[in-house]
């Protein structure tokens, strides 16, 4: 049986929800390995929902930082450029968390060298196709 993890999923919210459907499929797979603290990132209307709830930037930052402190692994979908996701990854590295970055190899985009070149003992970057996700997650989260 898989060890239960506390997982922080990071994906682009502000500036475009092009991959929201993909985020939903990723989160569903991650939930088989434990609790996903940031499941809302996969919601296609998350930005509007947070605005409608009156959540301030400070509230969102502090809430998300609490979750980042509480998690043992961050899984970041990094195909869509996002300052927020980059910030979350940097903070996760500083907190010595396991970091798994996912970049769609068929996206015709280029991953920032600051992410692509950061591989290490607890930092992994995958140029992936969606059908490879189960194996990637099993290798790190089993």
């Amino acid at each position: 049986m898989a060890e239960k993890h506390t997982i922080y999923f990071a994906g682009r919210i502000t500036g475009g929800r092009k991959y929201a459907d993909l985020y939903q499929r990723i989160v569903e797979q991650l939930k088989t390995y434990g609790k996903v603290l940031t499941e809302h990132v996969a919601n296609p209307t998350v930005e509007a929902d947070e605005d409608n709830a009156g959540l301030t930037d400070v509230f969102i930052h502090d809430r998300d930082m609490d979750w980042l402190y509480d998690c043992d692994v961050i899984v970041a979908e990094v195909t869509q450029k996002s300052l927020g996701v980059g910030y979350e990854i940097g903070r996760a590295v500083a907190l010595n968390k396991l970091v798994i970055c996912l970049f769609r190899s068929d996206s015709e985009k280029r991953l920032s060298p600051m992410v692509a070149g950061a591989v290490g003992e607890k930092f992994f970057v995958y140029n992936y196709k969606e059908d490879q996700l189960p194996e990637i997650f099993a290798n790190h989260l089993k």
Side-chain angles (χ1 to χ4, degrees):
M1 183 169 173
E3 176 185 342
K4 291 297 180 184
H5 291 278
T6 306
I7 303 165
Y8 187 106
F9 174 70
R12 182 179 183 182
I13 295 176
T14 306
R17 302 296 292 151
K18 179 178 180 178
Y19 290 135
D21 290 343
L22 172 64
Y23 296 170
Q24 289 175 338
R25 294 189 299 274
I26 290 171
V27 165
E28 285 306 309
Q29 289 185 54
L30 292 173
K31 285 165 58 175
T32 66
Y33 292 98
K35 179 170 180 57
V36 179
L37 300 172
T38 54
E39 189 173 342
H40 67 284
V41 172
N43 182 339
T45 62
V46 62
E47 193 171 16
D49 294 347
E50 290 180 341
D51 286 346
N52 291 338
L55 303 184
T56 66
D57 292 345
V58 170
F59 176 87
I60 291 168
H61 172 273
D62 293 350
R63 175 200 64 191
D64 290 7
M65 284 307 305
D66 286 343
W67 286 334
L68 201 51
Y69 281 108
D70 290 344
C71 78
D72 60 286
V73 59
I74 177 174
V75 176
E77 213 300 333
V78 296
T79 307
Q80 291 287 95
K81 294 179 193 242
S82 167
L83 291 173
V85 172
Y87 177 83
E88 292 164 326
I89 291 169
R91 295 299 296 260
V93 168
L95 293 168
N96 201 33
K97 305 291 182 175
L98 172 63
V99 178
I100 302 168
C101 294
L102 305 170
F103 180 78
R104 290 182 60 108
S105 56
D106 60 355
S107 69
E108 298 182 10
K109 297 178 188 270
R110 182 169 182 241
L111 181 58
S112 166
M114 293 303 292
V115 174
V119 294
E121 186 177 321
K122 295 184 85 173
F123 197 103
F124 300 88
V125 178
Y126 290 96
N127 294 313
Y128 78 101
K129 293 192 173 154
E130 191 172 350
D131 64 353
Q132 296 170 307
L133 290 175
E135 181 179 354
I136 291 168
F137 296 151
N139 286 340
H140 294 285
L141 304 174
K142 60 182 173 186

